[in-house]
Amino acid sequence: MPEYEDFTSIPVGKLGIIALPGCEQFASKIDYYLVKWRKERESEHKDSIQFTGYERDSYIINASFPRFGTGEGKCVIKDTVRGYDVFILCDPFNYGVEFKMYGREVPMSPDDHYANLKRAISAVAGKARKITVIMPMLYEGRQHKRSSRESLDCADMLRELCLSYGVDNFITFDAHDPRVQNAVPQNGFENVQPVYQMIKAICRNIEDINISKEHMMVISPDEGGMGRCIYFSSVLGLDLGMFYKRRDYSVIVDGRNPIIAHEFLGTNVEGKDVIIIDDMISSGDSMIEVATKLKELKVNRIFICASFGLFCNGLETFDKAYKDGLISKVFTTNLIYSTPELLSREWYVNVDLSKYCAYIIDTLNHDESVSKLLDPKERINKILEKYGFETH
């Protein structure tokens, strides 16, 4: 049984992938799967003119992003893109990429990555048949609503890319608030959840895990993340608990109202393993406070699942929490940059989504529906059956 899909439609155009600085390694993993699948895929039409360039040694388009001494940059695309179905990978949060400005090494900020994305689209210069941007974590995605006189950068970004730069489709993962797609209602916007990959990683990395209502529970660290937690708990057949963040709305610290306390809402968690699920770990302070509260309620082990591990304040907080027995494992994806220090930690598991992204790109290039990829219920049941757990 092949691991790829046998499509019945012809490609939209020749497939091309542009990896922005910092996305090269992730792009090469995606490219590996696409090259493998398309060589193995049997089709009576593979030699027809519609499939010209379908089977290649690599689908990555050679693009460079040189800088002038002032820090100003440009994009140079060195391969043809005329008639191509172009997918551009952008990780705005990769601070591991640096460039020289006035002789100094400067880490790239989200604004720098976003500028590079616009440069890449501009360099394509309207020659591509279709442009899809894959931005796993949305640029300015946390600035999703206006509560006073302030900018709405994420909505502005989507409108600029889709209306001014001609982007056809936008793919992101676990958006902080997917309603931001309302800024571009006429354009394709897919918000993908890495639920299946997380569950598979949990089953593979925790040998004595027992996924049952009597032994495990799903916890949302705040009311805003209940949507993703409801899906997790439903497919695993587990009870759901939630923490309510009590904030001081009279004060603003670092751009937000400080949290006074976390109040737990849910059934008895004593003696159970719990999975805390969130879209991101930023500083991690809130996550550690939730874990501390759960330990006070006498839970057994605590596993943390977050799509994006930013760890803005370093790893020391989590090192201490692991040493003190507060947390057992932290799972985040490889959709954004992870430091070598993070990857080496005993408490950390990096969840690979390159194969999943390759599936999405392959399907979209054939202009087929991605609905079955976005709803992983069947695949989750298979992985639960494989490890001997009850399906729901």
Side-chain angles (χ1 to χ4, degrees):
M1 180 73 179
E3 56 184 335
Y4 51 81
E5 183 78 27
D6 280 321
F7 299 108
T8 56
S9 59
I10 64 173
V12 173
K14 291 181 183 178
L15 175 60
I17 299 171
I18 297 176
L20 266 57
C23 293
E24 297 90 350
Q25 186 177 2
F26 190 62
S28 67
K29 288 185 175 182
I30 293 172
D31 190 49
Y32 164 78
Y33 288 112
L34 292 170
V35 170
K36 180 174 177 285
W37 296 341
R38 294 194 169 194
K39 281 184 178 176
E40 294 173 352
R41 187 173 288 145
E42 296 295 333
S43 173
E44 58 185 303
H45 305 293
K46 272 177 94 171
D47 295 327
S48 65
I49 192 169
Q50 292 94 337
F51 278 77
T52 302
Y54 185 77
E55 191 178 307
R56 305 204 304 272
D57 292 332
S58 177
Y59 299 95
I60 295 177
I61 293 168
N62 189 3
S64 64
F65 295 82
R67 294 270 177 174
F68 298 101
T70 56
E72 297 166 290
K74 63 179 179 179
C75 173
V76 181
I77 294 179
K78 300 173 183 178
D79 297 327
T80 180
V81 291
R82 186 175 294 277
Y84 274 54
D85 183 12
V86 175
F87 291 80
I88 305 176
L89 298 177
C90 176
D91 174 12
F93 301 91
N94 192 332
Y95 61 94
V97 182
E98 298 180 335
F99 64 93
K100 275 196 172 182
M101 185 169 71
Y102 293 99
R104 299 178 182 178
E105 291 290 339
V106 181
M108 286 186 69
S109 70
D111 292 339
D112 293 317
H113 285 289
Y114 178 49
N116 270 347
L117 174 59
K118 292 191 287 185
R119 290 178 184 121
I121 299 169
S122 181
V124 169
K127 304 297 190 299
R129 184 159 297 166
K130 195 170 73 167
I131 296 176
T132 301
V133 170
I134 300 178
M135 185 184 287
M137 186 173 175
L138 278 176
Y139 168 77
E140 297 286 1
R142 284 185 282 182
Q143 182 55 22
H144 59 94
K145 62 183 179 181
R146 178 177 284 149
S147 55
S148 64
R149 288 183 296 275
E150 56 189 22
S151 59
L152 284 172
D153 298 56
C154 189
D156 285 341
M157 178 266 294
L158 289 173
R159 287 179 62 83
E160 183 177 25
L161 291 181
C162 294
L163 303 184
S164 300
Y165 281 80
V167 170
D168 299 282
N169 291 311
F170 205 94
I171 298 171
T172 191
F173 286 77
D174 207 354
H176 191 67
D177 190 340
R179 290 175 296 181
V180 73
Q181 67 185 286
N182 293 342
V184 285
Q186 305 304 320
N187 291 78
F189 184 100
E190 301 294 349
N191 179 39
V192 186
Q193 298 289 342
V195 180
Y196 166 69
Q197 289 77 11
M198 284 290 183
I199 292 172
K200 184 165 70 171
I202 289 171
C203 292
R204 282 182 173 177
N205 289 277
I206 305 167
E207 293 181 2
D208 57 343
I209 193 79
N210 189 341
I211 302 177
S212 65
K213 192 174 287 189
E214 295 75 26
H215 298 90
M216 181 169 274
M217 194 168 173
V218 172
I219 304 291
S220 175
D222 54 43
E223 62 275 20
M226 281 295 286
R228 65 179 66 86
C229 291
I230 288 170
Y231 187 83
F232 254 97
S233 62
S234 298
V235 296
L236 294 176
L238 304 177
D239 286 333
L240 175 62
M242 184 195 85
F243 277 89
Y244 166 66
K245 290 179 179 177
R246 201 145 49 85
R247 295 180 180 271
D248 182 357
Y249 288 99
S250 64
V251 180
I252 295 177
V253 179
D254 294 331
R256 60 183 180 176
N257 303 106
I259 298 166
I260 301 171
H262 288 85
E263 307 289 350
F264 180 68
L265 306 173
T267 57
N268 184 25
V269 294
E270 185 175 346
K272 293 182 180 180
D273 291 337
V274 299
I275 308 174
I276 305 174
I277 297 165
D278 209 353
D279 59 334
M280 72 179 78
I281 298 172
S282 182
S283 66
D285 294 341
S286 178
M287 195 71 79
I288 296 299
E289 188 174 338
V290 165
T292 304
K293 291 282 185 183
L294 286 169
K295 279 295 183 182
E296 291 173 4
L297 295 171
K298 300 180 180 179
V299 302
N300 185 23
R301 293 177 298 180
I302 296 175
F303 308 110
I304 297 173
C305 291
S307 297
F308 310 110
L310 299 171
F311 300 98
C312 298
N313 293 353
L315 305 174
E316 291 76 15
T317 304
F318 284 84
D319 288 337
K320 186 178 185 303
Y322 177 69
K323 185 179 178 182
D324 295 344
L326 195 61
I327 59 172
S328 296
K329 288 286 182 187
V330 177
F331 299 82
T332 70
T333 70
N334 66 336
L335 291 168
I336 64 169
Y337 173 64
S338 300
T339 63
E341 292 77 22
L342 175 62
L343 296 173
S344 68
R345 290 302 197 266
E346 188 180 351
W347 47 263
Y348 178 71
V349 177
N350 191 248
V351 182
D352 187 8
L353 266 81
S354 56
K355 191 175 183 180
Y356 190 25
C357 286
Y359 277 130
I360 293 171
I361 290 172
D362 204 16
T363 305
L364 290 176
N365 182 235
H366 278 266
D367 206 18
E368 299 256 347
S369 172
V370 293
S371 298
K372 57 188 173 183
L373 291 174
L374 302 182
D375 183 8
K377 182 77 163 58
E378 188 178 323
R379 284 175 293 146
I380 290 170
N381 283 339
K382 283 182 180 178
I383 200 75
L384 290 176
E385 286 174 2
K386 179 181 175 182
Y387 285 92
F389 300 120
E390 186 180 347
T391 58
H392 299 272

